[in-house]
């Protein structure tokens, strides 16, 4: 995924690729949320799953992720958003295109 907008909304396969174009993903909910504290009172680790539908057919998708949040003085000062990239590619119907792109990069 290219990082230009919501997951699956931009970026095609490599030039000359026969990969299908990405389908827009519509995140609908964040679920399975588990919050973990730690030794640093400013830092929270949040496990979650993003779920939604793929357009145009409404096929559901879901994939897990982790957020690392730093809160200082009541303000969110840092966010790191990590996701299972291959799991997301699979959920969005792009795993074969990603694997082909990775195979061609070696």
């Amino acid at each position: 995924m290219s990082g230009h907008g919501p997951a699956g909304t931009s970026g095609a396969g490599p030039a000359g690729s026969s990969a299908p174009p990405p389908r827009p993903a519509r995140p609908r909910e964040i679920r399975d949320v588990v919050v973990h504290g730690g030794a640093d009172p400013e830092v929270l680790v949040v496990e979650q799953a993003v779920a939604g539908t793929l357009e145009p057919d409404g096929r559901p998708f879901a994939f897990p992720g982790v957020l690392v949040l730093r809160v200082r003085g009541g303000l969110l000062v840092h966010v790191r958003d990590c996701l299972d990239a291959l799991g997301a590619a699979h959920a969005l119907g792009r795993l074969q295109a990603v694997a082909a792109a990775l195979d061609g990069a070696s």
Side-chain angles (χ1 to χ4, degrees):
M1 291 182 278
S2 68
H4 301 291
T9 60
S10 63
S17 169
S18 62
R23 298 186 295 171
R26 304 284 181 237
R28 304 286 186 207
E29 72 175 308
I30 305 296
R31 62 185 184 207
D32 304 328
V33 175
V34 179
V35 178
H36 304 276
D40 187 337
E42 291 186 344
V43 176
L44 295 172
V45 175
V46 181
E47 296 179 69
Q48 63 184 11
V50 176
T53 57
L54 295 175
E55 302 300 330
D57 60 3
R59 185 171 66 88
F61 72 87
F63 52 85
V66 174
L67 294 170
V68 180
L69 309 169
R70 181 172 296 275
V71 179
R72 187 175 297 137
L75 299 174
L76 189 58
V77 297
H78 180 85
V79 176
R80 176 152 298 163
D81 187 356
C82 305
L83 62 91
D84 173 2
L86 292 178
H90 180 264
L92 298 172
R94 303 288 298 159
L95 185 57
Q96 288 181 337
V98 169
L102 291 173
D103 190 46
S106 58

